[in-house]
Amino acid sequence: MNCQEVIDFLSEYLDGTLPWHRRALFWVHLRVCSDCRNYVASFRRTLVLVRSTARDVTTNQLPAIPRELLQAIQAAKR
């Protein structure tokens, strides 16, 4: 496996859906490639931040949409 393939298969790897033979190749590549190890670690941290931020945002925290804007959107759809 090369660096591009690590990027291509990263989502499947993190989701746990990467077939075992590709996962083994993925691990071998990560052992020898510090750039990919750093990339995967950074991607994992990003996912943690995105997920924690998404949990913190509720619909009550979103700004209200002005009624005039909603009416204009509905009128445009007609």
Side-chain angles (χ1 to χ4, degrees):
M1 183 165 290
N2 61 40
C3 297
Q4 183 59 51
E5 290 171 320
V6 166
I7 293 168
D8 292 344
F9 293 117
L10 183 56
S11 292
E12 292 174 69
Y13 172 74
L14 295 175
D15 290 340
T17 59
L18 192 62
W20 69 268
H21 60 282
R22 288 203 191 269
R23 191 170 48 249
L25 294 172
F26 198 97
W27 290 334
V28 168
H29 183 81
L30 290 182
R31 282 190 66 99
V32 298
C33 183
S34 63
D35 288 338
C36 284
R37 279 195 310 274
N38 292 335
Y39 183 81
V40 170
S42 175
F43 196 87
R44 281 184 168 148
R45 286 191 300 273
T46 300
L47 286 177
V48 167
L49 288 172
V50 167
R51 288 175 180 154
S52 68
T53 301
R55 278 193 303 267
D56 293 341
V57 175
T58 66
T59 54
N60 295 333
Q61 295 171 318
L62 298 175
I65 299 173
R67 180 177 301 200
E68 297 81 17
L69 177 58
L70 289 174
Q71 289 171 344
I73 292 169
Q74 289 172 342
K77 285 174 50 178
R78 292 184 209 132

